[in-house]
Amino acid sequence: MNFLRGVMGGQSAGPQHTEAETIQKLCDRVASSTLLDDRRNAVRALKSLSKKYRLEVGIQAMEHLIHVLQTDRSDSEIIGYALDTLYNIISNDEEEEVDDVEEENSTRQSEDLGSQFTEIFIKQQENVTLLLSLLEEFDFHVRWPGVKLLTSLLKQLGPQVQQIILVSPMGVSRLMDLLADSREVIRNDGVLLLQALTRSNGAIQKIVAFENAFERLLDIITEEGSSDGGIVVEDCLLLLQNLLKNNNSNQNFFKEGSYIQRMKPWFEVGDENSGWSAQKVTNLHLMLQLVRVLVSPTNPPGATSSCQKAMFQCGLLQQLCTILMATGVPADILTETINTVSEVIRGCQVNQDYFASVNAPSNPPRPAIVVLLMSMVNERQPFVLRCAVLYCFQCFLYKNQKGQGEIVSTLLPSTIDATGNSVSAGQLLCGGLFSTDSLSNWCAAVALAHALQENATQKEQLLRVQLATSIGNPPVSLLQQCTNILSQGSKIQTRVGLLMLLCTWLSNCPIAVTHFLHNSANVPFLTGQIAENLGEEEQLVQGLCALLLGISIYFNDNSLESYMKEKLKQLIEKRIGKENFIEKLGFISKHELYSRASQKPQPNFPSPEYMIFDHEFTKLVKELEGVITKAIYKSSEEDKKEEEVKKTLEQHDNIVTHYKNMIREQDLQLEELRQQVSTLKCQNEQLQTAVTQQVSQIQQHKDQYNLLKIQLGKDNQHQGSYSEGAQMNGIQPEEISRLREEIEELKRNRELLQSQLTEKDSVIENLKSSQTSGTNEQSSAIASARDFEEVAELKQELATLKSQLNSQSVEITKLQTEKQELLQKTEAFAKSAEVQGESETVIATKTTDVEGRLSALLQETKELKNEIKALSEERTAIKEQLDSSNSTIAILQTEKDKLELEITDSKKEQDDLLVLLADQDQKILSLKNKLKDLGHPVEEEDELESGDQEDEDDESEDPGKDLDRI
């Protein structure tokens, strides 16, 4: 500090110390002083002098300041002073007031100094890399001056600095961190820095976009209040425009990242339209321009279409239409909104259909298109607004044949509202077409021409339009009325508009050409206009007349003898001259406004006088100028050959179209078959999966069944070995006698069941004999009576069998109850008694006898099932025979059907009986085994009784299989 005072004091002490000497001493101190405080004070002094003595400080101190940045990074204060000084040297910002006389020279010198010092600084690329590394410092006094200095470098020599940053490792990524800084000053200046960095550099734009710039910028816009925000929102929107404009990669990334959906809240301006500040207007204007960047006609068609669909799906288009129909919106915002809606719907059928359905909030409601056309043909509306409405109408009809048909239909007699309560779009266009305002004439003519663009059907339909010119006069066609206005010598703008409409109408439409030539006054008027030598202002009209006459020749189908192609060519050669005709035709493309209109679809003119050409019409001129020139010079023979070629091509096109339709139909059929095949495949896979699951389940059940059988066999063996080796204690004689009585009772029940089974066998035999006799006598004349008798017998036998089965079911239930009681007594008996070893052999023998008898019973049951099955088959045969008998057996057939149902029920009851019998036998077997285990002595009578039934038991050896079948 003492050093600074000495220097400044010495500077004011005498005239010998000039500013240059002071700056030199400060620079020497910065370079040679070993104390950090001295160097810091010197740099601070240079900073204070750098604004006033920019040239001197820049020449002498720049090298020393860069050295400070390299060596004194540990001290943030001196680094901040050095960066501020460099910024003052390089920046062109002039804060001091300058006299008006010296202002221009001072500004020029300041710009030259900034560029020269910037060039010196970036000559060593390490300086820019050093500056990027300093931006990583979080200290405010380092980071903020660094951001301002780098921004100034980019403003001075942007492309060179961009290239250095691009090749610097992590250069762009370091700058992206500025957007995340919590200090708003640095964040806002970081946005300005990125604006300068991304200007006109696609590579850096892509890097910035993929560094999550869209997400951060949209967050900042939301935090600042969207359209109600301040200058920061404006800066963010400008940066977004830099990233997206003419950058297809970033546009696709913006769409794929679902950032279009985040733009919708920007346009929710609400109903309170009183608070339209200047900043809000600017912000909303930039937001609308950002939407237009995404759907610009100059973008690739695929990218534009995808953005248009996304804007409709997220509701952005609907929000824009709300602003369009709102009241109190500023004129420039309304104009830009119309232009934005125009490009959002241009060429997108879904968006165009939605726009056609939008109604204005009026009473009664009117379509938005009608309201906009009312503004277009109103000469009191601003010129820019009228141009925007025309552009909107053009975009609505662009590649929209449905919309073109709706507009033309409003002109046809069948659709005009006779009451006159509502105004249609067609009526507004006709009113503008024949208005006294030349600009309305031109706009209406161009709008109507777009309703006919590339649509031959509507060109033919428009020929039906009739106009009532005055009371008492017959109606005149629209085509005739246009030619009448042309011949009246109206303003050039009106005639140009009408001629563009007629050229568009007649091109590619021979019927319209025939209607035009049918009026004998049209061709003389055109030849007279072309042949005259008029001034430069009329040359454009002459060129358009030549184009219209050339279209009448090229698209002439020779249906009028007086105006065939060859005659029209001879007329041109006699009255005008071919060379003169071609020269006049060339006046169109040579006009100074022609090239301007051909660049962009939007009609953007500085004033109404420049509103001459339409963009789509320039395409038509470019397409037809060459072919008309060739058609004029062709001979009649060449015309005939060309017509033959055309016919051949038409036939070929028809054949190709036919085959295309066939292929299209076949493709549809193939697609349907593919869908069916895929459906069947899915069903097949599902069925295979179900079969596989069922197979696995069956296999699991088999494995479980086999495992249970093995375990059951092991348990039986274990019980047998245990009973042989066990020694039982003595029991009371009363209990033994009680057990014997119960066994005797079980045996009697079993005998009773056997007798019942024998009776059922006899019943089955009777049924078999009845069926046999019925079959043998079917062919006789008395077959019907015998069948009736057999059916009655079968019914009786079935009733008997059912009663027997019922009694058997009761007996089986009784046996089950007795068996359960015996089982309980046996278990109690086993716990308290033991039997001596001498009776074990007898018990084993009796158990074997019981098992044999049970096997015999099961075998008999199996045979009975087989017989029942055979009986069922024979019964089916009887049914077939009865069905083939005459009408007299119909009544018997009904009774037989009932009988069959009863037999089926009997079979089920028999099966249930067999199950019960098998269970009873199994329980008897278990009781015998338990008696054997208890060592119960069995008398000889039991052995004899068991021996009597051995023959019957031998027939049923495998009860387990029958039980499995049941």
Side-chain angles (χ1 to χ4, degrees):
M1 196 68 183
N2 294 332
F3 165 77
L4 180 62
R5 290 173 182 170
V7 171
M8 299 307 293
Q11 181 178 358
S12 58
Q16 68 274 16
H17 296 290
T18 62
E19 294 83 1
E21 292 176 352
T22 303
I23 294 171
Q24 182 61 43
K25 290 181 179 180
L26 292 172
C27 292
D28 293 341
R29 177 61 66 177
V30 172
S32 60
S33 179
T34 57
L35 295 177
L36 180 59
D37 290 340
D38 289 346
R39 295 199 304 274
R40 186 189 303 119
N41 293 333
V43 173
R44 183 166 54 187
L46 288 173
K47 173 190 171 183
S48 63
L49 296 173
S50 59
K51 288 186 178 181
K52 186 174 181 180
Y53 304 105
R54 179 182 175 190
L55 177 61
E56 292 79 2
V57 174
I59 293 174
Q60 300 185 43
M62 179 174 287
E63 184 179 354
H64 300 294
L65 294 172
I66 295 173
H67 183 71
V68 168
L69 297 178
Q70 295 172 346
T71 58
D72 292 331
R73 294 192 58 173
S74 59
D75 186 72
S76 61
E77 191 174 357
I78 192 174
I79 294 295
Y81 292 149
L83 291 172
D84 282 332
T85 306
L86 288 172
Y87 171 75
N88 293 336
I89 295 171
I90 293 173
S91 175
N92 290 329
D93 297 338
E94 293 287 342
E95 294 185 359
E96 297 183 0
E97 296 182 358
V98 185
D99 296 337
D100 295 337
V101 181
E102 300 177 356
E103 182 177 359
E104 185 177 353
N105 294 332
S106 175
T107 302
R108 187 181 297 108
Q109 292 176 1
S110 177
E111 292 176 356
D112 293 341
L113 280 178
S115 300
Q116 292 173 3
F117 285 133
T118 301
E119 188 174 357
I120 294 171
F121 185 84
I122 67 173
K123 190 173 183 179
Q124 299 293 329
Q125 295 186 5
E126 295 80 5
N127 296 339
V128 179
T129 305
L130 174 63
L131 183 56
L132 291 174
S133 65
L134 289 173
L135 292 179
E136 294 181 351
E137 298 289 339
F138 187 75
D139 192 293
F140 180 82
H141 298 287
V142 176
R143 203 171 209 186
W144 188 40
V147 170
K148 293 194 297 181
L149 176 58
L150 187 56
T151 305
S152 182
L153 292 174
L154 287 165
K155 289 180 179 179
Q156 297 293 340
L157 295 175
Q160 294 90 325
V161 180
Q162 287 174 343
Q163 191 61 31
I164 296 173
I165 295 175
L166 189 60
V167 299
S168 177
M170 299 296 292
V172 179
S173 300
R174 293 171 181 172
L175 300 180
M176 288 301 301
D177 294 337
L178 298 173
L179 296 181
D181 200 304
S182 59
R183 295 159 294 194
E184 292 188 1
V185 176
I186 296 179
R187 184 199 67 184
N188 298 343
D189 283 351
V191 174
L192 298 176
L193 170 60
L194 291 173
Q195 278 186 27
L197 178 66
T198 57
R199 189 173 290 115
S200 303
N201 193 305
I204 293 179
Q205 290 169 1
K206 292 179 182 179
I207 296 174
V208 172
F210 282 96
E211 287 286 345
N212 206 22
F214 293 140
E215 183 76 25
R216 296 182 183 181
L217 290 173
L218 292 174
D219 288 342
I220 294 173
I221 292 174
T222 304
E223 292 172 3
E224 295 292 328
S226 297
S227 60
D228 294 323
I231 190 67
V232 179
V233 174
E234 179 182 349
D235 294 336
C236 291
L237 291 171
L238 291 172
L239 177 54
L240 284 172
Q241 284 191 20
N242 284 354
L243 295 176
L244 293 173
K245 195 170 185 178
N246 300 323
N247 194 316
N248 300 327
S249 174
N250 283 1
Q251 290 175 6
N252 186 60
F253 180 69
F254 190 85
K255 178 184 70 68
E256 295 295 335
S258 300
Y259 296 119
I260 292 179
Q261 288 80 341
R262 297 187 59 179
M263 298 170 67
K264 180 190 173 185
W266 295 353
F267 304 102
E268 295 175 355
V269 295
D271 296 332
E272 69 285 349
N273 295 323
S274 57
W276 287 93
S277 63
Q279 187 61 55
K280 181 175 181 178
V281 171
T282 302
N283 291 343
L284 201 56
H285 198 274
L286 291 173
M287 290 172 179
L288 293 169
Q289 287 182 348
L290 188 63
V291 175
R292 294 184 63 185
V293 166
L294 295 171
V295 293
S296 174
T298 58
N299 294 341
T304 300
S305 177
S306 60
C307 289
Q308 288 173 333
K309 292 177 181 178
M311 290 177 182
F312 175 75
Q313 292 171 357
C314 73
L316 179 58
L317 174 59
Q318 293 84 330
Q319 199 63 45
L320 292 174
C321 290
T322 302
I323 299 176
L324 194 66
M325 295 291 104
T327 56
V329 180
D332 51 349
I333 294 298
L334 181 60
T335 302
E336 190 64 24
T337 303
I338 295 173
N339 289 328
T340 305
V341 171
S342 305
E343 295 183 353
V344 172
I345 68 174
R346 187 176 189 270
C348 182
Q349 187 66 51
V350 177
N351 295 3
Q352 289 168 339
D353 292 342
Y354 170 76
F355 183 71
S357 66
V358 176
N359 289 324
S362 59
N363 190 15
R366 289 178 176 175
I369 298 174
V370 173
V371 176
L372 292 175
L373 287 178
M374 292 173 67
S375 300
M376 185 186 73
V377 298
N378 187 354
E379 56 184 318
R380 289 176 293 181
Q381 293 292 339
F383 172 69
V384 180
L385 179 63
R386 298 174 73 180
C387 291
V389 173
L390 176 62
Y391 184 45
C392 184
F393 191 75
Q394 292 174 351
C395 292
F396 169 68
L397 298 178
Y398 182 71
K399 294 183 179 180
N400 183 11
Q401 293 190 353
K402 178 183 176 182
Q404 290 174 329
E406 291 174 353
I407 297 299
V408 173
S409 66
T410 59
L411 287 166
L412 299 179
S414 59
T415 58
I416 295 177
D417 187 6
T419 60
N421 293 329
S422 62
V423 180
S424 65
Q427 292 172 340
L428 289 171
L429 291 177
C430 283
L433 193 63
F434 307 122
S435 171
T436 56
D437 179 30
S438 60
L439 184 58
S440 298
N441 301 152
W442 190 93
C443 291
V446 171
L448 198 55
H450 277 263
L452 307 176
Q453 199 76 36
E454 298 179 1
N455 195 330
T457 303
Q458 303 308 323
K459 292 177 182 179
E460 296 176 5
Q461 288 292 323
L462 200 63
L463 295 172
R464 298 169 49 199
V465 177
Q466 300 290 323
L467 302 175
T469 56
S470 60
I471 300 175
N473 293 329
V476 181
S477 67
L478 177 62
L479 182 64
Q480 184 60 42
Q481 183 66 16
C482 291
T483 56
N484 291 340
I485 296 175
L486 276 176
S487 61
Q488 292 174 3
S490 54
K491 294 181 180 180
I492 292 180
Q493 193 173 38
T494 300
R495 285 183 287 164
V496 169
L498 291 173
L499 286 170
M500 287 194 298
L501 171 60
L502 291 173
C503 290
T504 305
W505 194 347
L506 269 60
S507 63
N508 295 292
C509 187
I511 298 177
V513 172
T514 302
H515 279 72
F516 178 76
L517 296 177
H518 194 270
N519 187 351
S520 58
N522 289 338
V523 173
F525 169 74
L526 293 178
T527 54
Q529 288 287 320
I530 300 169
E532 291 183 7
N533 292 321
L534 303 174
E536 294 182 359
E537 295 181 356
E538 296 290 336
Q539 287 182 353
L540 177 58
V541 176
Q542 287 183 318
L544 293 173
C545 290
L547 178 64
L548 182 58
L549 186 57
I551 290 173
S552 302
I553 295 173
Y554 184 73
F555 295 104
N556 193 342
D557 58 358
N558 294 326
S559 59
L560 294 176
E561 294 184 2
S562 57
Y563 292 109
M564 298 178 66
K565 285 186 178 180
E566 191 61 29
K567 292 184 178 180
L568 288 175
K569 290 180 185 178
Q570 294 175 359
L571 183 64
I572 290 175
E573 189 173 2
K574 290 180 181 179
R575 295 190 178 181
I576 303 172
K578 291 183 179 180
E579 290 78 8
N580 190 23
F581 179 85
I582 301 303
E583 181 183 0
K584 298 293 178 68
L585 183 63
F587 285 163
I588 302 175
S589 57
K590 293 178 182 179
H591 197 277
E592 58 180 354
L593 299 178
Y594 176 86
S595 59
R596 181 172 182 175
S598 63
Q599 293 175 359
K600 292 182 179 181
Q602 181 181 359
N604 189 10
F605 305 103
S607 62
E609 292 78 17
Y610 291 88
M611 210 169 191
I612 297 297
F613 287 107
D614 174 57
H615 176 75
E616 293 296 329
F617 180 74
T618 59
K619 292 182 179 179
L620 182 66
V621 172
K622 189 175 181 181
E623 176 186 351
L624 295 179
E625 187 175 6
V627 296
I628 290 175
T629 302
K630 293 179 181 179
I632 294 298
Y633 285 106
K634 279 182 182 178
S635 62
S636 59
E637 295 179 356
E638 292 176 347
D639 286 338
K640 290 180 181 179
K641 291 180 180 180
E642 185 177 355
E643 289 179 0
E644 292 177 357
V645 171
K646 283 184 178 180
K647 291 180 180 179
T648 305
L649 290 175
E650 288 178 358
Q651 294 176 357
H652 181 266
D653 291 340
N654 293 333
I655 295 172
V656 171
T657 304
H658 174 67
Y659 281 110
K660 282 183 178 179
N661 294 332
M662 290 180 59
I663 292 171
R664 190 178 295 108
E665 293 176 358
Q666 292 174 355
D667 289 340
L668 294 175
Q669 295 176 358
L670 286 174
E671 185 63 28
E672 292 178 356
L673 292 175
R674 287 194 186 99
Q675 293 177 357
Q676 293 178 2
V677 168
S678 61
T679 304
L680 292 175
K681 283 182 178 180
C682 295
Q683 294 177 356
N684 186 25
E685 291 176 358
Q686 294 175 358
L687 292 175
Q688 288 181 354
T689 305
V691 169
T692 305
Q693 293 176 354
Q694 292 177 357
V695 169
S696 63
Q697 291 177 359
I698 291 171
Q699 186 63 37
Q700 290 177 2
H701 293 160
K702 286 182 179 180
D703 295 341
Q704 293 175 0
Y705 174 72
N706 294 331
L707 182 60
L708 290 173
K709 286 181 64 177
I710 295 171
Q711 291 179 354
L712 183 60
K714 290 182 179 180
D715 293 340
N716 293 335
Q717 293 176 2
H718 179 69
Q719 290 178 359
S721 60
Y722 176 77
S723 62
E724 292 175 359
Q727 295 182 354
M728 311 299 293
N729 296 327
I731 58 175
Q732 298 297 328
E734 294 82 0
E735 295 178 354
I736 293 174
S737 61
R738 190 184 301 111
L739 289 173
R740 286 177 180 175
E741 291 175 358
E742 292 176 355
I743 291 172
E744 290 295 333
E745 188 176 358
L746 289 173
K747 288 179 179 180
R748 287 193 298 271
N749 292 333
R750 185 185 62 192
E751 292 174 356
L752 181 59
L753 289 173
Q754 287 178 354
S755 64
Q756 291 175 354
L757 288 173
T758 304
E759 292 176 359
K760 285 190 274 185
D761 291 338
S762 64
V763 172
I764 291 169
E765 290 296 331
N766 292 332
L767 290 172
K768 287 182 178 179
S769 62
S770 299
Q771 290 173 350
T772 306
S773 63
T775 304
N776 294 330
E777 297 174 359
Q778 182 67 31
S779 61
S780 64
I782 320 171
S784 61
R786 291 181 180 179
D787 288 340
F788 181 77
E789 293 174 359
E790 290 174 2
V791 171
E793 291 174 0
L794 287 173
K795 289 178 68 177
Q796 293 176 359
E797 292 173 0
L798 182 61
T800 305
L801 186 60
K802 287 177 69 176
S803 62
Q804 291 175 357
L805 288 175
N806 291 331
S807 62
Q808 289 173 1
S809 299
V810 174
E811 291 173 359
I812 288 170
T813 304
K814 182 179 178 182
L815 287 173
Q816 287 179 346
T817 306
E818 292 174 354
K819 183 206 70 172
Q820 187 67 24
E821 294 175 355
L822 181 59
L823 181 61
Q824 294 176 355
K825 292 177 181 180
T826 304
E827 291 176 355
F829 179 74
K831 294 179 180 179
S832 61
E834 294 181 357
V835 183
Q836 297 189 2
E838 296 177 356
S839 61
E840 290 179 358
T841 305
V842 179
I843 293 172
T845 304
K846 285 191 175 288
T847 303
T848 305
D849 294 339
V850 172
E851 291 177 353
R853 292 173 184 173
L854 288 174
S855 300
L857 287 174
L858 291 172
Q859 184 64 30
E860 289 176 359
T861 304
K862 181 177 180 182
E863 292 176 356
L864 181 60
K865 288 175 65 178
N866 293 332
E867 290 176 356
I868 291 173
K869 182 178 180 181
L871 179 60
S872 177
E873 294 176 355
E874 291 174 357
R875 187 188 63 215
T876 305
I878 291 173
K879 180 181 176 182
E880 293 176 355
Q881 293 171 1
L882 290 174
D883 291 339
S884 63
S885 61
N886 53 22
S887 61
T888 59
I889 310 175
I891 300 173
L892 297 176
Q893 182 64 35
T894 305
E895 296 179 355
K896 182 183 176 182
D897 293 338
K898 295 180 181 179
L899 179 60
E900 288 176 357
L901 294 174
E902 293 174 354
I903 291 173
T904 304
D905 296 337
S906 175
K907 180 182 176 183
K908 293 181 180 179
E909 292 174 356
Q910 290 176 8
D911 292 340
D912 296 337
L913 178 60
L914 291 174
V915 174
L916 295 173
L917 288 174
D919 293 340
Q920 184 66 24
D921 292 337
Q922 186 66 26
K923 292 173 182 177
I924 292 172
L925 177 61
S926 62
L927 290 173
K928 291 292 185 180
N929 290 333
K930 290 184 179 180
L931 288 174
K932 179 182 174 181
D933 295 340
L934 295 172
H936 175 63
V938 181
E939 295 179 359
E940 295 298 331
E941 294 177 359
D942 297 337
E943 295 178 0
L944 291 175
E945 291 175 357
S946 63
D948 293 335
Q949 297 179 358
E950 286 180 357
D951 296 335
E952 298 176 356
D953 296 339
D954 293 336
E955 298 176 359
S956 178
E957 296 178 355
D958 193 6
K961 294 182 180 178
D962 292 335
L963 290 174
D964 291 338
R965 292 191 188 96
I966 294 170

